Amino acid sequence: TRRRATAESGSRGVRRGGGLGACAATNAAIGDVPPDRLEDVDVDDDEDEPYEPEPDDDDDFALARPNAASIVPGRAKVHVRTFGCSHNISDSEFMAGQLSAYGYTLTTSPEDADLWVVNTCTVKNPSQSAMNTVIERGKAAGKKLVIAGCVPQGDKNARELDDLTLLGVTQIDRVVEAVERTLAGDAVRMLAKKTLPALDLPKIRRNEHVEIVPLSTGCLGKCTYCKTKHARGELGSYAPEALVARVQTAIAEGVTEIWLSSEDTGAYGIDLGTDVTRLLRDVTAALPKDGSCMLRLGMTNPPYILAHLDAVAEAMHHPGVYAFLHIPVQAGSDAVLGRMKREYVVADFEKVVDTLLERVPGITIATDIICGFPGETEEDWEMTMALCRKYDFIELHLSQFYPRPGTPAARMKKVNSREVKRRSRELTNYIESYLPHGALVGTTQRVWVTDIAKDGISLVAHTKSYVQVLLPGGEAERARLMGKSAVVKIIESARWYVRGEVLEVEERTSARPRPPPPPTTTTTTT
């Protein structure tokens, strides 16, 4: 018996390249923005004298270039380019906010910038290759470069990073210093792990209507294919009070959506002696009662969320919480999951999905599949296909296996590449063979409008179950609808979205609160 992993429809469907769970493939750029707007794209050492480090030294150091041309601090133009997951996007938003607050001009034009900040992703080879291409172009154009994020943190000795400023994942609150010293002609390394950056730093949102709140960094897993763990490290959670304060601030500033971002939401707080059950109750208590601001829960792996399914279901019944959850399964074979060291079996995943389908009518569940993991037999693959047929996932991130250097899986014997491609096509064809949205046609739905579609005209909205709805665009409609909730009639369905026409715009009935005082709690060290 098939159980579709949503009540009536879902949002997007097959996403190639997102199947490694922790990071979905995303590109973003930051620049030419007012102080409150960010446009879409793609052991401390303060010594004045630089020193030559040992090869394994993670502390700050600078390679001085006395003859390099320098630029007056705070007067340069900076281009920020982001690869990776929503956590990376949030980090870039914080870095952009600090640079803008200090006086730097952010620009979306790489050519016009004096310096590029490249926030990197290490989840797969294509992501790192794209970073290498950006670095080569920057060098060829004579641009100053600051390389931030997971690649320098997890692979600091990579040849392409030689003689460049490197900024670690917990060092984003020092981006102004890194930029200043790079403009002065130094190549600085700031990679030491330290206390997590504060959540009240200046911030410029990629989308002014969406707040991304990082719950933590790192995880408790030991997945054999994962390079992100090398960069983000062990689990380090923000205090619940700091997270609630960040949510309250975002609501007061008028956002329409809040995304909770984490490498594993279910593991949140274990390092602090708290858990995601408390967090969800605290955060939902801060949401407006009229549903004018929606909360989207972050990705969670099966093992740690099992104990919190009641809290997840309770949260999703709140009018301000999307009935949507991303739960990567990666494979439908226990043997493959064992080689991946995923720390659960297929039955655990099924329990999570079945419980939420029963407890939350209308929920959309997204998942990830890695195709062709080393040692995957035809029988293993058939088990994965059977799992996908059982649930008919509306959103599925499919990725062919990429061996990442330094991971245990990179030393395992690969599956024949032709067979991997065949399996990938088989699953893609199956996912594209069914049409999940037809039942919505003719119904009225409340939606939240937060973005502009790739055609540059249509407006993007989502239903309570996070189904993507495209609405008529144009300047007048943007002014009327963007950042607001509306009641729409669904008039057409396609494989990955539906189209609607607006019946009425919802007015807010809950007053937006004042921003809370800055959090005074401390965070853990990763």
Side-chain angles (χ1 to χ4, degrees):
T1 302
R2 293 183 183 175
R3 300 195 64 188
R4 179 154 288 163
T6 181
E8 295 173 335
S9 68
S11 52
R12 286 165 291 279
V14 174
R15 291 292 188 83
R16 291 197 173 276
L20 297 187
C23 300
T26 306
N27 290 297
I30 296 171
D32 279 345
V33 290
D36 61 346
R37 184 74 165 91
L38 179 63
E39 295 290 347
D40 276 340
V41 288
D42 213 348
V43 174
D44 296 348
D45 183 344
D46 294 323
E47 295 178 352
D48 292 332
E49 295 296 325
Y51 66 93
E52 196 69 25
E54 295 297 326
D56 61 348
D57 192 345
D58 280 338
D59 292 339
D60 296 358
F61 72 90
L63 302 178
R65 291 175 177 76
N67 296 323
S70 62
I71 300 173
V72 177
R75 299 295 297 274
K77 291 184 178 181
V78 179
H79 172 72
V80 181
R81 177 71 182 271
T82 304
F83 297 94
C85 61
S86 58
H87 195 157
N88 266 24
I89 294 172
S90 176
D91 286 350
S92 289
E93 291 176 342
F94 280 123
M95 289 191 287
Q98 294 170 82
L99 291 169
S100 179
Y102 192 73
Y104 288 106
T105 299
L106 300 174
T107 176
T108 55
S109 170
E111 293 78 13
D112 291 343
D114 302 297
L115 179 144
W116 298 356
V117 175
V118 184
N119 195 7
T120 62
C121 173
T122 189
V123 70
K124 290 191 306 181
N125 292 345
S127 300
Q128 192 156 340
S129 296
M131 176 207 74
N132 295 344
T133 299
V134 171
I135 290 175
E136 291 172 2
R137 289 176 178 171
K139 288 180 176 179
K143 305 298 183 181
K144 305 285 188 178
L145 297 172
V146 173
I147 311 301
C150 291
V151 172
Q153 190 71 70
D155 198 9
K156 62 184 179 184
N157 294 320
R159 183 177 303 175
E160 56 269 23
L161 301 180
D162 287 350
D163 299 333
L164 296 177
T165 290
L166 308 182
L167 192 66
V169 295
T170 62
Q171 299 274 357
I172 62 170
D173 52 356
R174 300 179 65 192
V175 65
V176 170
E177 178 187 355
V179 167
E180 279 191 302
R181 295 174 70 178
T182 302
L183 289 172
D186 294 335
V188 185
R189 290 196 172 196
M190 299 177 177
L191 298 174
K193 293 292 185 70
K194 66 180 187 64
T195 301
L196 298 179
L199 291 174
D200 60 345
L201 293 170
K203 188 173 191 179
I204 296 178
R205 297 184 182 96
R206 174 185 66 121
N207 180 332
E208 64 181 311
H209 306 294
V210 177
E211 169 74 11
I212 303 173
V213 179
L215 302 183
S216 57
T217 191
C219 69
L220 297 175
K222 296 179 176 62
C223 299
T224 55
Y225 57 81
C226 183
K227 187 79 170 178
T228 305
K229 181 65 175 278
H230 295 189
R232 295 283 180 180
E234 294 297 324
L235 178 68
S237 303
Y238 283 98
E241 299 83 2
L243 292 167
V244 171
R246 185 69 219 179
V247 167
Q248 291 172 327
T249 296
I251 293 171
E253 291 174 353
V255 302
T256 305
E257 286 185 1
I258 296 173
W259 298 357
L260 301 184
S261 175
S262 175
E263 279 73 52
D264 189 354
T265 297
Y268 166 78
I270 291 176
D271 55 316
L272 299 181
T274 186
D275 57 38
V276 73
T277 291
R278 175 197 165 176
L279 178 68
L280 290 178
R281 289 173 180 167
D282 289 351
V283 170
T284 53
L287 297 174
K289 298 292 192 297
D290 62 356
S292 58
C293 180
M294 297 296 290
L295 181 74
R296 194 186 79 175
L297 304 189
M299 187 198 74
T300 184
N301 291 310
Y304 296 104
I305 203 64
L306 275 166
H308 304 289
L309 295 179
D310 288 344
V312 172
E314 178 185 344
M316 289 183 178
H317 283 285
H318 189 286
V321 180
Y322 285 121
F324 171 86
L325 194 60
H326 179 195
I327 316 166
V329 65
Q330 307 297 13
S333 162
D334 289 344
V336 174
L337 293 175
R339 285 192 292 276
M340 291 179 174
K341 289 193 175 180
R342 288 289 288 171
E343 300 180 338
Y344 59 87
V345 294
V346 175
D348 295 329
F349 173 80
E350 292 177 319
K351 181 178 180 180
V352 174
V353 175
D354 291 343
T355 300
L356 292 177
L357 287 172
E358 179 182 355
R359 297 283 305 280
V360 188
I363 186 173
T364 295
I365 293 175
T367 197
D368 296 355
I369 296 292
I370 298 176
C371 174
F373 189 80
E376 181 184 77
T377 65
E378 182 61 29
E379 182 181 4
D380 292 327
W381 178 246
E382 281 303 316
M383 292 178 181
T384 296
M385 287 297 303
L387 186 71
C388 294
R389 293 187 188 103
K390 177 179 180 180
Y391 291 108
D392 280 355
F393 297 106
I394 304 305
E395 183 171 348
L396 189 150
H397 307 131
L398 173 62
S399 176
Q400 296 180 24
F401 170 72
Y402 290 93
R404 298 296 289 127
T407 63
R411 300 190 296 271
M412 299 179 184
K413 185 177 180 180
K414 295 182 182 179
V415 178
N416 180 273
S417 61
R418 288 185 179 179
E419 178 61 18
V420 174
K421 292 177 181 178
R422 185 199 69 78
R423 294 173 186 178
S424 178
R425 286 194 300 270
E426 181 182 12
L427 181 53
T428 299
N429 290 338
Y430 178 73
I431 293 296
E432 293 178 347
S433 70
Y434 52 87
L435 302 174
H437 303 305
L440 283 181
V441 175
T443 66
T444 58
Q445 302 285 331
R446 185 178 182 184
V447 301
W448 289 263
V449 187
T450 58
D451 214 338
I452 299 170
K454 290 182 179 179
D455 64 10
I457 300 173
S458 302
L459 303 182
V460 177
H462 292 91
T463 69
K464 181 73 159 59
S465 295
Y466 214 63
V467 180
Q468 183 170 277
V469 182
L470 298 184
L471 301 173
E475 290 300 324
E477 290 301 286
R478 288 186 193 182
R480 183 168 78 106
L481 296 173
M482 190 63 72
K484 298 177 182 178
S485 178
V487 175
V488 306
K489 181 179 180 180
I490 305 303
I491 59 173
E492 178 187 344
S493 70
R495 178 57 186 88
W496 312 119
Y497 60 88
V498 297
R499 291 189 181 274
E501 58 183 19
V502 177
L503 301 179
E504 62 178 317
V505 179
E506 293 278 336
E507 297 296 332
R508 289 175 178 165
T509 59
S510 297
R512 293 283 171 140
R514 292 183 179 180
T520 57
T521 54
T522 58
T523 52
T524 62
T525 301
T526 59

